Amino acid sequence: MAEAHQAVGFRPSMTSDGAEVELSAPMLQEIYLSGLRSWKRHLARFWNDFLTGVFPASPLSWLFLFSAIQLAWFLQLDPSLGLMEKIKELLPDWGGQHHRLRGVLAAALFASCLWGALIFTLHVALRLLLSYHGWLLEPHGAMSSPTKTWLALVRIFSGRKTMLFSYQRSLPRQPVPSVQDTVRKYLESVRPILSDEDFDWTSVLAQEFLRLQASLLQWYLQLKSWWASNYVSDWWEEFVYLRSRHSLMVNSNYYMMDFLYVTPTPVQAARAGNAVHALLLYRHRLNRQEILPTLLMGMRPLCSAQYEKIFNTTRIPGLQKDHIRHLRDSRHVAVFHRGRFFRVGTHSPSGLLSPRALEQQFQRILDDPSPACPQEEHLAALTAAPRDMWAQVRSSLKIQAEDALEAVEGAAFFVSLDSEPAGLTREDPAASLDAYARALLAGRGHDRWFDKSFTLIVFSNGKLGLSVEHSWADCPISGHMWEFTLATECFQLGYSADGHCKGHPEPSLPQPQRLHWDLPEKIRLSISLALRGAKTLSGNIDCHVFPFSHFGKSFIKRCHLSSDSFTQVALQLAHFRDRGEFCLTYESTMTRLFLEGRTETVRSCTREACNFVRAMEDKEKTEPQRRALFRLAVEKHQALLKAAMSGQGVDRHLFALYIVSQFLHLRSPFLDQVHSEQWQLATSQIPVQQIHLFDVHNYPDYVSSGGGFGPADDHGYGVSYIFMGDDTITFHISSKKSSTKTDSHRLGQHIEDALLDVASLFQEGQRPKPRCRGLPEEDSGHGGSCLPCHKRGSKATTKSTNY
């Protein structure tokens, strides 16, 4: 989501003061180290998989195979064709009385070798099957005979009881695209936004690159792709995220929202208790690999590697490069409330604390009247500071307050009990949603620990939210966890009639531990500087959130169009009306079809999209002409999306080529120009991955409202959207207040108009009317948005709902 800003801002060869840093490691050594890191991860995962039985054939199958061999041997049959006798000859001779033991050991060794060979064969066969991408290129709803055969074979070789990491060793590696194809696709993507003169110059640079440098850089990438798990992902994590020296707040983090129209309970401590318990239940299932692997379109498994670092993870600042610290376990959470830090244990000797016990602990913190110590209130602003500054201060802080710092960084996650309410209000729905988004993205600059993998934010009226650090994983991973959390805490755990967690308190539990910080004057000065910068950054962000209720994915499907492509082309029309020009557009899509894949960029501003936009602004064009151009634009976007997902995108390949050129000190004007591009429109769709957890037909308000991120450019927009149920699309827009070229609310209105104008092409010129969600507000600020009506109000105000 927020990766577009990082992708633009990364400087692999620069320090924070602008001086050159030698990437002194030879290229071959860097490739060797990448592969070494990959193999270490594989070995660790192999042992874990062996213990939990994650194989296409369960470890129990070894026992079955060994028993079958022993039975055959008892019946004087030799299934090994003499191999067991050879093995017996190689075993030490322990005397005649141990002759039978040698036979058992020989059978066990033969069974192990045969079992291992079968496992290896299954992995190879499944990897070959998963390398097939023909199904991705077929029209939606149609399935060819080869694809049906492929799907049947995948199901046969996958085994019956798949677990989270079952497919990891069978996933294919991400291919390195042809450098000629990548350059051709790049030139095609920039043609709509460059003048003829600029495009000709770019083409000259591209041809020079292909002639002089491309083959050498490509050779190194091919070498890395054979040796390491993924030719780009480790560099993406390091250079785009961990080497970035910018503040994490707004620039790198993103947020996830609660239910839009519903708050299950107004009791802050109760909501925190259920939410924390649900998150820890998710962690328990994660540790036991009981979470099912995600299957794209219900048939193609995605890489699960990013799930490993959801919990017990902190990004530790460094002077030139951060690193990710992940603990195997943590039995407490760190809590912030009114400038004070607490350590709250999450387990008792008998296991995980109940939601009611956790509520009791959070309520004790809320009732604690002790004031914050000097500068303690603003201490977390350091995590929003530039990374070099925070790294220097942290080294001193670790000496002065090691125990308190370890309690925060070693926590399962961070919890912020906010003293203000948030969420949709009847009095001013538009402004309240915008404030809600700003509170989640930046807060007050000092009430989130931005280094933690995620911060759970609980507002005083019971509203929830997440602030997520981006380096450890991408949005679909945290989104999967968040869907489980919302569904579990609301529908499975539930609340009592008075809004509290179900169950009984545990008065014998020790009080939450107050953390004490010994802050010398030097650190206090740094805190003041960090707070000033955080407030400036927070105050400059302009967020706008609005639910578009005129139509949703069901209408788009009836038009036989992709809902994502439909929205992306409409965004091109909206942005053109907002700025009067076309711009590079960044849409993030996943490459988790491959081992350790992360993301790729879909360049949505295509020639076909621009032709459609011009037709919409040309009064002489007829509706059939516009409709035909729109379908062409959608088809082009779909082709780009599928190419990116199947490892044939543009930007990650060019990024990796650029990194190799930096290691080799080989300057390329073409790659320099690619790297200097600005993404003035960064977009992302928030996927709904576990629709079975929500009853969208009977309880349409109980769905997540998605999340958002900061703009990638100081004069650009960040736009994310989520399809809520069948008839609503919620948009999250961000921009900088300091820019005179952007206005999040203005773009929001253009998006709404663009969607309606596009939809009218498929309804004989009639704009769809909004679905009434309740009592309409006269001045909702975004044309047609409503609040829940009295008829549905019983559900909206219910403290607990179970179904």
Side-chain angles (χ1 to χ4, degrees):
M1 294 175 67
E3 67 192 36
H5 186 281
Q6 299 297 103
V8 171
F10 89 98
R11 294 291 186 271
S13 60
M14 303 293 289
T15 63
S16 58
D17 60 0
E20 288 287 338
V21 171
E22 292 290 330
L23 293 178
S24 55
M27 190 66 240
L28 291 176
Q29 180 183 347
E30 172 61 25
I31 292 174
Y32 168 75
L33 292 175
S34 292
L36 196 62
R37 290 190 293 266
S38 299
W39 286 109
K40 284 181 179 179
R41 287 193 298 270
H42 291 330
L43 288 174
R45 190 176 296 135
F46 176 86
W47 179 244
N48 188 39
D49 290 351
F50 182 81
L51 292 177
T52 52
V54 183
F55 286 107
S58 166
L60 288 176
S61 62
W62 178 89
L63 183 60
F64 174 81
L65 185 62
F66 173 72
S67 301
I69 292 172
Q70 286 291 86
L71 178 61
W73 191 263
F74 177 77
L75 297 174
Q76 298 184 344
L77 300 174
D78 186 5
S80 70
L81 302 178
L83 285 177
M84 283 197 295
E85 288 294 336
K86 296 284 186 181
I87 295 173
K88 285 175 64 176
E89 294 174 5
L90 297 175
L91 291 174
D93 188 358
W94 296 301
Q97 66 271 26
H98 297 292
H99 177 75
R100 184 172 179 79
L101 176 61
R102 292 177 67 199
V104 172
L105 287 175
L109 288 172
F110 175 73
S112 298
C113 293
L114 181 59
W115 184 70
L118 291 173
I119 292 290
F120 179 77
T121 302
L122 285 173
H123 285 164
V124 171
L126 190 54
R127 178 174 292 185
L128 290 173
L129 287 170
L130 297 181
S131 300
Y132 170 73
H133 295 133
W135 60 274
L136 191 61
L137 304 177
E138 293 178 353
H140 184 69
M143 188 179 294
S144 64
S145 296
T147 298
K148 291 178 181 178
T149 304
W150 166 79
L151 181 58
L153 291 173
V154 168
R155 288 173 176 167
I156 291 172
F157 282 94
S158 295
R160 293 183 179 181
K161 293 185 178 180
T162 56
M163 300 175 75
L164 181 61
F165 297 119
S166 292
Y167 293 102
Q168 288 304 102
R169 289 184 307 279
S170 300
L171 290 173
R173 297 187 182 187
Q174 187 167 339
V176 180
S178 161
V179 68
Q180 289 81 9
D181 286 347
T182 296
V183 171
R184 175 184 56 79
K185 292 176 182 178
Y186 170 78
L187 292 174
E188 180 184 344
S189 73
V190 298
R191 186 64 190 95
I193 62 172
L194 294 180
S195 65
D196 292 342
E197 182 180 354
D198 289 341
F199 180 75
D200 290 342
W201 174 245
T202 301
S203 299
V204 170
L205 294 180
Q207 295 305 317
E208 180 181 322
F209 167 73
L210 289 174
R211 182 170 54 87
L212 298 178
Q213 297 129 346
S215 59
L216 177 63
L217 304 182
Q218 182 79 349
W219 182 83
Y220 279 108
L221 282 189
Q222 292 284 5
L223 183 63
K224 185 185 178 187
S225 72
W226 296 332
W227 172 242
S229 298
N230 192 290
Y231 82 90
V232 67
S233 289
D234 61 332
W235 285 347
W236 184 256
E237 178 181 296
E238 176 181 350
F239 291 105
V240 170
Y241 293 114
L242 299 183
R243 285 186 181 269
S244 171
R245 303 293 83 196
H246 297 295
S247 167
L248 299 185
M249 186 179 75
V250 177
N251 297 318
S252 180
N253 72 317
Y254 58 91
Y255 66 87
M256 306 291 288
M257 275 189 174
D258 196 358
F259 301 124
L260 190 61
Y261 296 102
V262 178
T263 304
T265 177
V267 181
Q268 184 179 17
R271 195 81 196 279
N274 261 9
V276 169
H277 187 85
L279 285 165
L280 293 174
L281 287 178
Y282 186 88
R283 185 180 70 169
H284 178 72
R285 295 186 63 185
L286 181 63
N287 291 340
R288 294 172 61 87
Q289 300 192 33
E290 294 174 351
I291 297 171
L292 294 176
T294 302
L295 300 179
L296 188 64
M297 300 177 67
M299 56 183 178
R300 175 58 164 86
L302 303 182
C303 179
S304 301
Q306 296 180 49
Y307 284 91
E308 295 176 343
K309 295 179 181 178
I310 294 181
F311 297 95
N312 325 323
T313 299
T314 305
R315 176 171 169 173
I316 305 297
L319 290 178
Q320 293 183 7
K321 172 189 171 184
D322 297 352
H323 72 273
I324 296 176
R325 179 193 180 202
H326 174 69
L327 304 178
R328 291 185 61 86
D329 193 22
S330 177
R331 299 212 156 201
H332 74 277
V333 293
V335 182
F336 179 88
H337 175 60
R338 289 199 297 110
R340 304 159 303 162
F341 293 83
F342 296 85
R343 183 188 187 278
V344 176
T346 56
H347 291 71
S348 67
S350 59
L352 176 61
L353 292 180
S354 68
R356 189 68 180 87
L358 288 168
E359 177 191 349
Q360 169 189 294
Q361 297 297 78
F362 291 127
Q363 191 60 53
R364 287 174 171 177
I365 293 174
L366 294 173
D367 295 339
D368 186 340
S370 61
C373 298
Q375 292 299 318
E376 178 190 15
E377 178 182 3
H378 302 140
L379 175 66
L382 291 169
T383 65
R387 304 306 288 172
D388 286 345
M389 173 185 172
W390 171 215
Q392 292 173 350
V393 176
R394 183 183 174 277
S395 61
S396 300
L397 189 64
K398 191 171 183 179
I399 298 173
Q400 300 292 333
E402 182 177 5
D403 292 342
L405 183 63
E406 177 59 28
V408 173
E409 293 183 342
F413 51 90
F414 195 76
V415 179
S416 179
L417 298 176
D418 207 292
S419 56
E420 299 292 332
L424 184 70
T425 63
R426 181 178 297 274
E427 293 75 22
D428 194 345
S432 62
L433 281 181
D434 298 347
Y436 183 21
R438 281 195 301 273
L440 293 176
L441 184 62
R444 288 183 286 276
H446 62 82
D447 49 359
R448 319 277 185 258
W449 200 270
F450 291 101
D451 289 352
K452 290 300 293 181
S453 54
F454 67 90
T455 295
L456 173 68
I457 304 160
V458 189
F459 295 94
S460 62
N461 61 344
K463 213 67 180 174
L464 289 179
L466 281 187
S467 174
V468 188
E469 201 280 312
H470 209 321
S471 63
W472 59 274
D474 301 308
C475 175
I477 306 302
S478 54
H480 189 279
M481 174 194 70
W482 191 233
E483 289 174 6
F484 175 90
T485 301
L486 291 179
T488 301
E489 67 93 14
C490 185
F491 303 132
Q492 294 186 21
L493 301 177
Y495 299 90
S496 61
D498 57 359
H500 291 281
C501 295
K502 294 179 179 179
H504 302 283
E506 298 182 25
S508 61
L509 282 177
Q511 292 282 336
Q513 178 188 349
R514 173 78 184 273
L515 302 182
H516 298 283
W517 308 83
D518 183 12
L519 303 176
E521 189 61 35
K522 180 180 178 181
I523 291 181
R524 295 180 183 183
L525 178 60
S526 298
I527 292 173
S528 298
L529 292 173
L531 179 64
R532 189 182 312 159
K535 286 187 174 180
T536 300
L537 190 58
S538 174
N540 191 32
I541 195 71
D542 179 25
C543 293
H544 181 46
V545 180
F546 71 96
F548 177 83
S549 56
H550 295 74
F551 62 86
K553 64 181 180 183
S554 62
F555 168 79
I556 300 174
K557 287 182 178 179
R558 289 196 300 271
C559 299
H560 304 288
L561 297 167
S562 160
S563 53
D564 181 65
S565 298
F566 185 102
T567 307
Q568 283 291 326
V569 177
L571 285 175
Q572 292 300 315
L573 177 58
H575 186 270
F576 183 83
R577 289 173 174 175
D578 182 79
R579 298 288 290 271
E581 60 183 6
F582 298 107
C583 72
L584 274 178
T585 303
Y586 188 113
E587 183 192 3
S588 176
T589 191
M590 61 87 188
T591 54
R592 288 169 57 210
L593 291 171
F594 306 102
L595 182 62
E596 296 183 11
R598 290 201 61 163
T599 62
E600 178 58 277
T601 305
V602 178
R603 293 176 166 241
S604 302
C605 185
T606 62
R607 181 181 303 177
E608 289 79 2
C610 294
N611 289 339
F612 164 73
V613 169
R614 293 189 185 98
M616 290 296 289
E617 301 301 280
D618 185 352
K619 295 181 179 180
E620 295 183 0
K621 295 292 184 181
T622 63
E623 282 198 2
Q625 290 175 317
R626 293 170 175 172
R627 187 161 53 245
L629 290 172
F630 181 77
R631 288 193 179 277
L632 288 175
V634 166
E635 290 171 3
K636 179 63 177 180
H637 179 269
Q638 275 288 289
L640 293 177
L641 178 65
K642 292 176 179 179
M645 291 173 61
S646 58
Q648 300 301 314
V650 172
D651 288 272
R652 297 303 173 271
H653 188 200
L654 291 175
F655 162 80
L657 291 169
Y658 180 76
I659 295 298
V660 175
S661 74
Q662 293 294 302
F663 275 113
L664 298 177
H665 304 285
L666 188 64
R667 185 175 179 274
S668 167
F670 171 71
L671 293 178
D672 288 342
Q673 176 169 316
V674 172
H675 171 59
S676 66
E677 291 174 338
Q678 299 298 314
W679 303 94
Q680 293 190 1
L681 182 58
T683 68
S684 179
Q685 180 192 164
I686 311 296
V688 179
Q689 304 168 78
Q690 302 170 93
I691 193 65
H692 63 279
L693 295 178
F694 304 92
D695 187 349
V696 295
H697 298 291
N698 294 322
Y699 300 93
D701 294 336
Y702 285 84
V703 290
S704 172
S705 49
F709 55 94
D713 183 73
D714 287 342
H715 300 287
Y717 291 106
V719 180
S720 69
Y721 49 94
I722 183 172
F723 293 91
M724 296 173 56
D726 291 330
D727 301 296
T728 303
I729 314 171
T730 298
F731 287 88
H732 300 251
I733 306 170
S734 67
S735 61
K736 297 286 184 70
K737 294 179 180 177
S738 57
S739 174
T740 59
K741 299 179 180 179
T742 58
D743 184 316
S744 296
H745 293 75
R746 185 182 68 208
L747 180 64
Q749 188 60 59
H750 284 308
I751 290 174
E752 182 166 344
D753 290 339
L755 287 169
L756 292 173
D757 288 344
V758 171
S760 69
L761 298 177
F762 299 89
Q763 290 195 327
E764 298 181 354
Q766 298 297 315
R767 281 187 166 200
K769 295 182 179 180
R771 283 173 52 87
C772 179
R773 297 193 66 89
L775 296 173
E777 290 287 327
E778 293 297 330
D779 296 314
S780 65
H782 41 74
S785 173
C786 314
L787 289 172
C789 64
H790 291 305
K791 182 177 180 181
R792 195 178 293 152
S794 58
K795 293 178 184 176
T797 57
T798 296
K799 303 228 175 15
S800 173
T801 302
N802 296 284
Y803 63 87

